[in-house]
Amino acid sequence: MNRILAIHPGAAYHCETLEAPRYAHLFDALARPEELGVVDLTRFDIVLAPCRTPASRLAPHRARLDAYLDAGGAIVAMGETHHHLWLPSIRFTSVPTNYWWWLEPGASLGLSIADPAHPLFARIGASDIAWHLHGAFAPPEGAHSLIDDAEGRSVLYVDAATTKGRILATSLDPFYHHGSHFMPAATRFLDGFLPWLKEEF
């Protein structure tokens, strides 16, 4: 089992997702972003930054996070965290967000599972990854995309090539939507994603 340190920025949706019983048992410790300078990161296999963690609260700790990665640690960065301000090798393109695409008959958000054989997709399916889209990545060479948009750009990828550790970067924002009590697909995503992180990542 991986030991997970979840960063806790303190918004209501973070409290609901990180502290409520549904997922709280999957996190070994919670820390404010400002505490990253004093927490012993080497005690944890994964440092998780949930959706909408302000980059201004993460960027001051970039050197320490880089050192954690270079020591073999794993960082999971969820959507709307402005990854490029605090992680290496991030190339991100934002897109206009269509919140109502699903109201059109036969509409599709255009997201697809890029690697159906990956163990994550034994836990979640195509209907669990689509609520809306904020943008996509051009992963660095050697990274492995797991979810793509309609143009073949990555929406979730794992980078084990840039550093001695691993980065999972996604533009999906399930913590926000689960914690805000809307978008059931986001809850279904976390139901599979978080146990996979704990047990298999």
Side-chain angles (χ1 to χ4, degrees):
M1 291 285 188
N2 289 314
R3 290 185 55 79
I4 300 176
L5 171 67
I7 299 169
H8 192 335
Y13 47 84
H14 295 129
C15 293
E16 176 65 22
T17 309
L18 298 173
E19 297 178 25
R22 189 179 191 116
Y23 304 127
H25 64 285
L26 297 170
F27 310 119
D28 296 278
L30 306 176
R32 300 294 190 201
E34 292 74 20
E35 295 174 318
L36 289 174
V38 296
V39 172
D40 181 3
L41 300 182
T42 64
R43 293 175 47 225
F44 302 97
D45 304 295
I46 298 170
V47 173
L48 168 65
C51 320
R52 306 191 188 204
T53 300
S56 61
R57 298 173 69 185
L58 295 169
H61 307 289
R62 180 165 185 167
R64 196 147 196 263
L65 293 170
D66 284 347
Y68 172 72
L69 287 168
D70 284 333
I75 293 178
V76 175
M78 306 302 291
E80 299 291 274
T81 58
H82 294 90
H83 308 64
H84 65 285
L85 295 176
W86 57 282
L87 285 175
S89 303
I90 300 291
R91 292 178 294 166
F92 178 76
T93 302
S94 60
V95 299
T97 301
N98 180 356
Y99 295 99
W100 306 108
W101 61 272
W102 50 274
L103 294 176
E104 301 171 17
S108 169
L109 189 57
L111 297 185
S112 62
I113 294 171
D115 181 3
H118 191 276
L120 174 60
F121 302 111
R123 299 175 184 258
I124 62 174
S127 65
D128 306 328
I129 64 174
W131 49 93
H132 57 239
L133 185 62
H134 291 281
F137 300 90
E141 185 176 354
H144 183 196
S145 183
L146 300 185
I147 301 174
D148 288 345
D149 71 3
E151 298 180 24
R153 299 173 301 182
S154 184
V155 173
L156 188 154
Y157 71 88
V158 177
D159 174 11
T162 300
T163 71
K164 294 178 182 177
R166 290 173 296 157
I167 297 169
L168 186 154
T170 183
S171 59
L172 299 178
D173 56 352
F175 285 76
Y176 171 77
H177 288 291
H178 169 77
S180 300
H181 301 286
F182 70 104
M183 299 290 184
T187 298
R188 296 196 308 269
F189 178 91
L190 289 178
D191 283 348
F193 179 76
L194 289 176
W196 171 76
L197 276 187
K198 183 71 175 175
E199 298 167 14
E200 297 186 73
F201 182 61

